[in-house]
């Protein structure tokens, strides 16, 4: 087994099988990627909400790579073992006009700069590990469970494909469960697979409802292995642990509608109203908190014509009664 590295400068802004590999590795090799945050360095710890107006949107969600894995052929599967994820000591969350589940209701830009604890911060006695304060005065803290929002391989279809959406070959899957110790399986469509990664998140709720998590630069180490006996992997598959303790309790709001998107929007809207009323958050603060800590769940999808979508927020993030 060999260990390799991909630099910050070795990045690209599209999934495109014509992009030359930044690195060639053997199956089973380990690669460490040094990645900027999803803003591609446009947002810094000194940024304010006014910075969002000057963002070059076409530069967002860059990924590092691609890495050519010897022996990978169309029809194979690329196994990605997530060995280590290390984030910076700062991050950001934002409401960016035009992005997010309730974009039409939040047209004004907002930015939160987070202070993230160093990697050597000791684990607390109650076992919660590292966390960042969303609002220390109100006693709201967020457990840090870092992961890469973007992990994927090049599509077989020629041309440049945006890094913003997810695809059957991976990409912006934004799956909070793909933390250290998880295993991701991706369907290979081109020789060498051409794996890339990026979009560091220190924490995120399922659904990432306002369009951002705790975005942060990261260094992530993965092991890339070609698998020949999993032809059923035609979309991303993964093995992971639950992001919550087994005894976790949740505040849950629901949305009910015949349109699944409207049911989802209603579930989030109701949680925002709950947080405004019960915890005194502003509407935009509540929207951001939902995006970094809450989970969307499909509670009922069989009794037509309506869907029931739940929005679950762990009670443990609130440290004051």
């Amino acid at each position: 087994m060999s260990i390799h590295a991909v630099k910050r400068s070795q990045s690209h802004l599209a999934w495109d099988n014509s992009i030359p590999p930044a690195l060639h590795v053997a199956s089973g090799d380990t690669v460490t990627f040094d990645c900027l945050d999803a803003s591609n360095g446009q947002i810094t710890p000194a940024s304010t909400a006014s910075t969002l107006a000057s963002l070059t949107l076409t530069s967002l969600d860059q990924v590092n790579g691609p890495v050519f894995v010897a022996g990978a052929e169309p029809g194979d599967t690329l196994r990605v073992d997530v060995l280590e994820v290390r984030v910076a000591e700062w991050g950001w969350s934002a409401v960016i006009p035009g992005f997010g589940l309730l974009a039409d209701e939040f047209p004004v830009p907002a930015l939160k700069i987070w202070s993230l604890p160093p990697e050597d911060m000791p684990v607390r006695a109650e076992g919660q590990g590292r966390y960042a304060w969303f609002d220390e005065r109100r006693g709201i803290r967020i457990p840090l469970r870092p992961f890469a929002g973007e992990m994927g391989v090049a599509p077989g279809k020629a041309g440049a494909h945006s890094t913003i959406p997810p695809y059957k070959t991976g990409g912006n899957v934004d799956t909070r469960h793909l933390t250290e110790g998880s295993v991701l399986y991706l369907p290979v469509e081109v020789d060498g697979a051409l794996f890339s990664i990026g979009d560091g998140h220190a924490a995120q709720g399922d659904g990432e409802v306002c369009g951002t998590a705790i975005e942060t630069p990261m260094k992530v180490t993965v092991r890339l292995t070609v698998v020949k006996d999993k032809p059923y992997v035609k979309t991303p598959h993964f093995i992971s642990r639950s992001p919550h303790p087994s005894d976790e309790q949740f505040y849950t709001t629901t949305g009910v509608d015949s349109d699944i998107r409207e049911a989802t929007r209603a579930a989030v809207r109701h949680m925002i109203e709950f947080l405004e009323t019960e915890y005194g958050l502003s509407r935009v603060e509540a929207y951001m908190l939902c995006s970094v800590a809450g989970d969307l769940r499909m509670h009922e999808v069989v009794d037509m014509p309506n869907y029931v979508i739940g929005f679950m927020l762990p009670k443990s993030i609130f440290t004051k009664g």
Side-chain angles (χ1 to χ4, degrees), residues 27 39 42 53 72 77 84 123 141 153 168 207 213 215 220-221 228-231 265 267 299 304:
S27 176
S39 79
Q42 296 181 85
T77 300
E84 185 176 74
V123 174
R141 66 188 179 197
V153 294
K168 64 180 181 179
E215 311 290 340
V220 56
T221 301
K228 300 286 185 179
D229 62 352
K230 297 188 183 296
R265 283 164 56 89
H299 287 323
M304 295 295 98

Side-chain angles (χ1 to χ4, degrees), residues 13-16 57 60-61 150 159-167 170-172:
L13 288 162
W15 298 101
D16 187 337
L57 299 182
L60 301 182
D61 276 355
E150 295 254 11
H161 305 274
S162 171
T163 56
I164 299 297
Y167 302 95
N172 197 17

Side-chain angles (χ1 to χ4, degrees), residues 19-100:
I19 296 174
L23 195 64
H24 286 75
V25 304
S27 176
D29 280 358
T30 297
V31 184
T32 296
F33 298 79
D34 185 4
C35 306
L36 280 170
D37 65 289
S39 79
N40 213 347
Q42 296 181 85
I43 295 175
T44 72
S47 294
T48 64
S50 62
T51 305
L52 301 178
S54 61
L55 284 180
T56 302
L57 299 182
T58 54
S59 295
L60 301 182
D61 276 355
Q62 78 292 347
V63 289
N64 289 66
V67 174
F68 184 103
V69 185
E73 300 172 314
D76 292 343
T77 300
L78 185 69
R79 171 175 170 148
V80 182
D81 288 83
V82 182
L83 304 179
E84 185 176 74
V85 185
R86 294 291 178 262
V87 298
E89 293 185 11
W90 72 279
W92 61 272
S93 300
V95 173
I96 302 174
F99 283 82

